[in-house]
Amino acid sequence: MKFSRRHVMTMIAALSLSSAMQLAQAADAPHVVLKTNLGDIELELNPEQAPKSVENFLQYVKSGQYTGTIFHRVIGNFMIQGGGFDQNMREKPTRAPIRNEAKNGLKNDTYTIAMARTGDPHSATAQFFINTNNNNMLNNPGADGWGYAVFGKVVKGTEVVDKIKQVRTGSRGPYQDVPVQAIVIESATVTK
């Protein structure tokens, strides 16, 4: 197939416009900083592809839900999970669950953040996890036809995530994979 110079220039212009729009969307994306006792983790959220999950997460951030919670489940080459328990392993109250957005095209790749849930695909509330590996088995459609909804990614503090994934864990009551030394989310703040 032969393209005219005009056709090629039109395609280049369209690609440039598409790239510019993606950059503009990224520039407008909300950012949240999780200040932990091991360092800060900055997240860039994706409201374009995961609007319900982002809105839900931001409501919890703004209400102070995450202050004083811990990363209560750490499985090194899988994920680090937090946002639901205080340092005494008491679960914090939450709002109603949200609808699963795992069909949004975002993948559970290393350093992405996703909604934690139970076996019910539409049970996500406040808990989240950061992938420490490319976890393709969590992507849509998943074993249950849904998967786990990714709604952002770590843009600063990957070294902190790497520190957390290497901590020593054990059992605490009925819970497994709990860090021996508490990894506390001291605050969660919308910065952009």
Side-chain angles (χ1 to χ4, degrees), residues 148-159:
Y148 290 76
V150 172
F151 64 96
K153 63 185 176 185
V154 175
V155 290
K156 287 183 187 168
T158 56
E159 71 283 356

Side-chain angles (χ1 to χ4, degrees), residues 167-183:
V167 300
R168 201 164 53 103
T169 62
S171 295
R172 191 160 168 199
Y175 304 102
Q176 297 176 0
D177 305 308
V178 180
V180 173
Q181 296 293 326
I183 302 160

